[in-house]
Amino acid sequence: MPRARGLLILTGLLILVSPVPSRAEVNSFSKGLVVSVSEKASQAGLEILKQGGNAVDAAIATAFALAVTHPAAGNIGGGGFMVVHPGGANLPTVFEYREAAPLKAHRTVYSPDDGMYSHKVPGVPGTVRGMGLAHQRFGTLPWKDLLQPAIRLAGQGFPVSKELASSLNGLLATSKDFLELQKVFAPPNRNGKWKAGDLLRQNDLARTLERIAQHGPEEFYTGETARLIEQEMIRGKGLISREDLANYQAHERKPIAIPYRGHVVYAPPLPSSGGHTLGLMLNILDGADLKKHGRWSHQTKHLLLETMRRAFLERARHLGDQGFTDIPHFLLEKTFAKSLHASIDDDKATPSKSLAPEIPISPESDNTTHFSVADAKGMAVSNTYTLERSYGSKVVVTGAGFLLNNEMLDFNWFPGTTTNSGRIGSEANTIAPRKKMLSSMTPVIVTKNGQAFLVTGSPGGRTIINTVLQVVINVIDFDMTIQQAVDSPRLHHQWLPDKSKFEDMKGKAYQESLKKLQSMGHEMSGGPQGDAHSILIDPSTRKLIPGLDQRIEGGLAGY
Ligand code: GLY
């Protein structure tokens, strides 16, 4: 989605892109809170909380509402990861609903001529079974009630924001061959363009959501919706079959738990690379005196960039679906982190290619979405899900009104082949039937004394993991408020390409260290990074405090 994001200005001058509360107006809440990219979707979650639902009920309602109000990434045709802290003495758990490769897919199913947008690139969607599994495990309100806000938003329509209007206009102009998409997202004045305030109604989607509400999550995989997906695949020569849909499985998984300075950071395990990569970085930083030079010194920036460089190399080398790939145990051992820490030169950037001979890896899309939910009883939910690229494959299932993902792009398409245009061919993430593609999505819940303390996550492809890292250290190491932690400019390095990024190119925090970082060998550039809609739960008062990321439109709803 061509996001209307301005560069973050550190001096407190935040660019408000939608009528969201300013920092001064943001209060804390005691009964429940939802923070997402869409105010209407957050309100859907709040409606469910007010009906007596818990944080998981509210998260499910928010996820279905985002499929209506944020069609670029909110979805029922994609997949993702949900971390849940059940509250009390219970430990956090993860619902993994990442898309899977269809049975017809194999190592060399794609040729260099295959594009990013077609019927051939969707993985088997996981969102609906993922939500179903979370509901089965923790839901308290009836399933069908949780979809009502989304059904209403789709059937009655909602006024589009300036950003959504601009995004839809861009989509329609660049997707002329996708006729069902053109129909579903046509502006009210068919020859005109979307404007802020126009009503977006999605009748086919409302009917699909109604079927899923009435018949349960299984409807998507074995009912009329499955039939419509199959018809769409036959029409466009796609890979997904009825058998793929019926066999798709979401899983409850044990999170990666990373002890960090008196807290524990819970993040998803594979096929998200987030838990391992974030864990490795936190383990490296745990051995460092991170506060010594202050948050914005060139020394701290250098340490963070070098930590990221090393962790992302290990990610590229080793990580893939754990059901298909052996994952080395040492990755999360403290001794390994110590050896990586010892390899950092305090005065010089380490050229990435000197660490390993591999060549550049492909950029990932930043069109994913994250939301955070917390309730009064100590339950918290951190959810990140996606269609991969903005609006996914651009294939709308005819008659069903929703987009299919293009998540197959997250596999390594050409085994053993690396190219300058950015593919890598390492084995861990090559394609196999039913295998799940490696993700960077990293929804996390940080606990303090066993209770949920910080709920965060972000979109942004590989930058996600570094965005989350920095929100976590801003709060834990640098004692920032959650809003400051979210507002602060972010660094990024992902091993290859060997480039260091810092969001706030113009700010004082950057200018003072720019020359030093360059002289140490960092090639520096800027640009917005992520949107980490977060919640902090005050350990003494249990107040729920929002961190609304104002790099993108968004909205919170609490009471
Ligand atoms: N498609 C982006 C991710 O899964 O990280």
Side-chain angles (χ1 to χ4, degrees):
M1 173 172 172
R3 292 170 172 176
R5 292 198 279 194
L7 261 187
L8 182 71
I9 298 173
L10 239 199
T11 52
L13 264 178
L14 294 169
I15 300 169
L16 293 179
V17 290
S18 74
V20 294
S22 72
R23 193 184 308 177
E25 290 166 329
V26 169
N27 290 317
S28 59
F29 300 86
S30 56
K31 294 188 177 159
L33 177 61
V34 186
V35 191
S36 83
V37 74
S38 153
E39 200 164 358
K40 293 236 167 328
S42 297
Q43 279 162 0
L46 179 63
E47 182 178 325
I48 293 301
L49 287 169
K50 285 188 170 170
Q51 285 172 27
N54 63 20
V56 168
D57 292 320
I60 294 167
T62 304
F64 280 108
L66 280 167
V68 179
T69 61
H70 185 56
N75 70 80
I76 56 173
F81 299 85
M82 177 189 283
V83 183
V84 176
H85 191 309
N90 301 298
L91 288 174
T93 190
V94 173
F95 295 102
E96 175 265 294
Y97 55 98
R98 181 69 161 163
E99 298 93 325
L103 288 169
K104 281 187 207 137
H106 53 83
R107 282 165 72 77
T108 53
V109 69
Y110 296 108
S111 80
D113 295 335
D114 282 309
M116 293 194 287
Y117 307 108
S118 76
H119 287 72
K120 208 175 163 184
V121 291
V124 185
T127 296
V128 179
R129 273 216 172 119
M131 295 302 137
L133 188 59
H135 182 255
Q136 201 184 327
R137 182 81 161 76
F138 289 116
T140 54
L141 293 187
W143 169 259
K144 66 175 173 28
D145 293 4
L146 308 183
L147 280 87
Q148 296 314 310
I151 294 169
R152 215 172 47 233
L153 285 161
Q156 295 176 4
F158 65 95
V160 302
S161 63
K162 190 163 151 254
E163 290 70 33
L164 181 53
S166 146
S167 170
L168 290 173
N169 289 331
L171 172 73
L172 293 168
T174 53
S175 313
K176 296 281 185 215
D177 293 343
F178 294 85
L179 301 183
E180 192 64 15
L181 177 151
Q182 292 285 334
K183 195 178 110 193
V184 162
F185 295 115
N189 168 4
R190 283 197 161 260
N191 301 319
K193 289 193 164 186
W194 283 100
K195 315 183 289 311
D198 285 345
L199 208 63
L200 173 58
R201 286 178 64 172
Q202 299 169 78
N203 290 326
D204 286 349
L205 179 56
R207 279 189 286 274
T208 299
L209 293 169
E210 185 65 53
R211 281 194 305 275
I212 298 170
Q214 288 307 321
H215 303 293
E218 283 312 295
E219 197 286 330
F220 185 93
Y221 296 93
T222 56
E224 172 64 4
T225 307
R227 190 187 71 78
L228 292 169
I229 296 172
E230 180 189 41
Q231 292 298 306
E232 189 60 49
M233 287 289 116
I234 293 169
R235 203 174 300 119
K237 298 190 174 51
L239 303 180
I240 299 174
S241 66
R242 284 295 276 278
E243 192 184 352
D244 286 317
L245 290 163
N247 288 337
Y248 175 84
Q249 286 188 353
H251 297 279
E252 183 172 359
R253 296 190 187 276
K254 197 169 168 222
I256 302 275
I258 313 140
Y260 185 70
R261 304 200 205 280
H263 301 73
V264 183
V265 180
Y266 290 93
L270 294 164
S272 167
S273 60
H276 277 84
T277 314
L278 180 66
L280 182 48
M281 291 196 286
L282 288 171
N283 283 344
I284 294 173
L285 296 176
D286 210 14
D289 184 358
L290 195 49
K291 282 175 154 171
K292 185 169 164 194
H293 298 287
R295 178 67 178 91
W296 305 114
S297 66
H298 71 275
Q299 292 97 330
T300 303
K301 289 198 191 89
H302 173 70
L303 173 62
L304 288 173
L305 290 167
E306 291 302 310
T307 298
M308 292 167 186
R309 184 198 305 277
R310 283 159 177 77
F312 274 79
L313 166 58
E314 302 309 321
R315 175 194 186 276
R317 260 187 187 145
H318 297 295
L319 301 185
D321 183 337
Q322 61 197 348
F324 292 74
T325 306
D326 288 334
I327 308 300
H329 289 296
F330 64 78
L331 286 176
L332 289 175
E333 285 170 6
K334 292 274 183 193
T335 46
F336 182 58
K338 214 169 162 187
S339 71
L340 293 187
H341 186 203
S343 75
I344 297 175
D345 183 330
D346 288 344
D347 302 318
K348 269 205 328 264
T350 312
S352 287
K353 283 196 177 169
S354 75
L355 291 173
E358 292 92 337
I359 61 166
I361 47 183
S362 58
E364 275 174 23
S365 145
D366 62 357
N367 297 296
T368 295
T369 191
H370 174 82
F371 61 87
S372 301
V373 186
D375 68 22
K377 293 198 174 140
M379 181 178 270
V381 177
S382 186
N383 189 87
T384 312
Y385 71 157
T386 189
L387 289 166
E388 162 55 8
R389 303 271 151 169
S390 191
Y391 301 97
S393 61
K394 300 194 179 175
V395 173
V396 171
V397 177
T398 305
F402 67 89
L403 284 151
L404 289 169
N405 67 83
N406 51 356
E407 215 72 56
M408 292 297 282
L409 294 173
D410 275 357
F411 277 119
N412 295 347
W413 276 19
F414 306 114
T417 304
T418 51
T419 71
N420 280 326
S421 65
R423 296 280 177 203
I424 54 165
S426 64
E427 270 309 306
N429 190 34
T430 51
I431 303 170
R434 292 199 183 163
K435 188 171 171 179
K436 295 188 171 182
M437 57 296 282
L438 190 65
S439 173
S440 296
M441 287 187 277
T442 315
V444 304
I445 295 181
V446 181
T447 61
K448 194 169 186 170
N449 301 324
Q451 301 305 301
F453 167 61
L454 170 61
V455 186
T456 191
S458 177
R462 262 162 258 195
T463 69
I464 291 172
I465 312 171
N466 290 332
T467 296
V468 170
L469 172 77
Q470 288 163 92
V471 174
V472 169
I473 62 164
N474 286 345
V475 170
I476 295 180
D477 291 277
F478 296 99
D479 302 319
M480 292 188 197
T481 65
I482 185 61
Q483 194 60 54
Q484 288 165 337
V486 166
D487 289 346
S488 288
R490 295 167 185 150
L491 286 155
H492 178 67
H493 199 295
Q494 58 174 50
W495 171 57
L496 288 173
D498 192 347
K499 290 192 162 98
S500 299
K501 292 194 172 165
F502 187 59
E503 277 190 306
D504 184 31
M505 294 285 283
K506 294 191 180 135
K508 199 162 168 270
Y510 176 73
Q511 288 300 320
E512 281 177 0
S513 52
L514 171 64
K515 286 201 172 57
K516 285 194 176 115
L517 286 166
Q518 284 173 331
S519 71
M520 291 165 98
H522 291 284
E523 187 186 323
M524 301 296 299
S525 62
Q529 180 175 321
D531 48 283
H533 294 298
S534 309
I535 296 176
L536 190 126
I537 301 145
D538 188 301
S540 44
T541 63
R542 304 307 296 162
K543 291 270 186 206
L544 314 174
I545 308 165
L548 186 69
D549 198 326
Q550 299 176 76
R551 289 163 176 80
I552 188 172
E553 66 173 333
L556 60 89
Y559 77 132

